Amino acid sequence: MAVQPLILGEMPSLSKLYINAAAQAARRRLLGTGDSSHLPDESHEVRAVAVDVANLTAYQHLLGETASDVLPAGFIHALAFPLAMSVMNRDDFPLPLLGMIHLGNRVEQRVPLLFTEALDITARVENLRGHRSGTQVDVVAEVRKSGSNAVCWLGVSTYLAKGIFLPGIDKPSAQHGKPDFRAPDPTALWQLGVDAGRAYAAVSGDFNPIHLSVLSAKALGMRRSIAHGMYLASRALADVGPARGDSFIWEVGFETPVFLPARVALDITTEQEGTGAWHRSSFVAWNPRSGRRHFNGSVAALDDAAAGNGDERAGKDTPGLTETGASGPVQEERI
């Protein structure tokens, strides 16, 4: 029997979720954890979510997206993010929310969504599994047009609880190191100011202190503030440009953080069909001084077969996400 979703009256407040997560972490330190290896079956849902047009415009301007009535895929991720965090903030979620590391994302943009459309958003957690450095989990968000059952946008975010090993979950065997990264000639150079984290927080609502200032980041153990991973990924998606069309698969794996201020080199390589139509763009970003890779990913055309099978794949291992960062320190931004 299917478990009915928990219907929330409005989108959760991220600031309240972070405060509750801090209190939850303190309770777990004091009382210990239950050592559960089970994820909550219940999903969270908010219906008839409206888009703030001013916020959408500010997002498009900041990320370099074309001004349009169509919601960018990264904007939809930001819209669904508080609901996804609320599922990981439950008392029966077995991993600590604070300190979770964002390994990667996979998005299926199946149908374009307009800012005028009310949206139903659902989030759940699944696929709890081992990682050489701890335990990882997928957070799945689905966005539908209000009142419809058809999923228009599907996002799978993979997170790692570093140092947390749950009973009954095997630690995978060590993998061979990745080939050394050799930086190509960049197609773009980004200049990110020290305020890049605050600027993205203003349009995404993610005011995680590790992104806001040197002082707030140091208070959480970082040497400087770091850029949001989804800001970087969404900016790369915007740089791919309108050739990607309205339906595509967007994947990104994070490796090393971008400390602010920073210069980031980006290379985008595009593949075409035999007819000359766009087929796929691969991107990689790195530190032009040290040569260390920050993230890599791709945007590919979403064919009808992929769209039809998306729900079945949502909770399965996604190549490039589950073992991101195998040859270096596990990335990227901590919640």
Side-chain angles (χ1 to χ4, degrees):
M1 181 176 178
V3 177
Q4 294 298 311
L6 175 65
I7 308 297
L8 306 182
E10 60 183 4
M11 194 61 70
S13 163
L14 275 176
S15 59
K16 291 180 179 179
L17 289 174
Y18 286 140
I19 292 171
N20 188 63
Q24 186 183 75
R27 289 196 302 270
R28 287 184 173 183
R29 284 195 297 270
L30 182 64
L31 303 175
T33 64
D35 288 333
S36 170
S37 298
H38 300 285
L39 293 172
D41 293 325
E42 193 175 46
S43 61
H44 289 190
E45 183 174 344
V46 178
R47 296 173 179 171
V49 176
V51 172
D52 184 299
V53 179
N55 188 50
L56 170 63
T57 302
Y59 177 96
Q60 291 169 330
H61 178 74
L62 178 67
L63 275 296
E65 285 281 5
T66 303
S68 169
D69 294 348
V70 176
L71 302 181
F75 181 86
I76 301 172
H77 170 88
L79 196 64
F81 184 67
L83 190 64
M85 291 299 98
S86 74
V87 182
M88 293 201 289
N89 201 217
R90 294 169 58 109
D91 288 337
D92 56 352
F93 182 69
L95 302 173
L97 173 58
L98 291 183
M100 293 278 276
I101 296 171
H102 191 185
L103 294 182
N105 263 68
R106 185 182 194 276
V107 167
E108 290 184 9
Q109 181 69 64
R110 300 179 180 178
V111 178
L113 293 166
L114 304 180
F115 79 89
T116 54
E117 295 171 321
L119 305 174
D120 293 344
I121 304 176
T122 305
R124 65 183 185 273
V125 288
E126 60 186 36
N127 202 11
L128 191 69
R129 59 202 185 277
H131 184 282
R132 68 193 180 283
S133 300
T135 303
Q136 58 187 334
V137 66
D138 290 338
V139 184
V140 182
E142 296 175 340
V143 180
R144 300 168 173 83
K145 296 179 183 180
S146 193
S148 170
N149 291 325
V151 176
C152 300
W153 183 99
L154 171 71
V156 182
S157 301
T158 300
Y159 292 95
L160 167 69
K162 190 175 182 181
I164 304 295
F165 297 93
L166 298 180
I169 297 181
D170 294 333
K171 180 179 177 181
S173 57
Q175 293 187 340
H176 296 296
K178 292 182 179 179
D180 291 338
F181 170 64
R182 293 187 178 182
D185 292 331
T187 54
L189 281 173
W190 297 344
Q191 300 284 350
L192 306 185
V194 70
D195 62 341
R198 295 191 293 274
Y200 182 73
V203 299
S204 69
D206 184 2
F207 286 89
N208 188 327
I210 63 173
H211 304 302
L212 303 183
S213 71
V214 173
L215 291 178
S216 61
K218 282 186 174 180
L220 295 177
M222 309 291 288
R223 68 174 185 266
R224 296 204 311 272
S225 60
I226 64 174
H228 293 76
M230 289 308 294
Y231 163 73
L232 301 168
S234 298
R235 187 163 172 178
L237 176 65
D239 280 10
V240 169
R244 65 184 186 249
D246 292 328
S247 300
F248 52 83
I249 297 175
W250 169 36
E251 295 181 296
V252 61
F254 301 113
E255 294 189 40
T256 59
V258 174
F259 289 95
L260 301 170
R263 294 177 73 230
V264 176
L266 178 76
D267 175 67
I268 298 177
T269 304
T270 298
E271 302 172 20
Q272 295 180 329
E273 302 278 9
T275 60
W278 176 86
H279 173 65
R280 175 188 177 93
S281 292
S282 300
F283 55 84
V284 60
W286 66 95
N287 183 321
R289 177 176 296 179
S290 68
R292 293 184 68 192
R293 185 165 52 191
H294 292 307
F295 64 92
N296 68 96
S298 64
V299 187
L302 178 63
D303 57 30
D304 292 339
N309 294 329
D311 282 331
E312 297 177 6
R313 288 197 311 274
K316 298 182 180 180
D317 287 354
T318 303
L321 297 189
T322 57
E323 288 297 315
T324 299
S327 61
V330 179
Q331 160 67 2
E332 171 269 336
E333 62 181 290
R334 293 177 180 270
I335 294 175

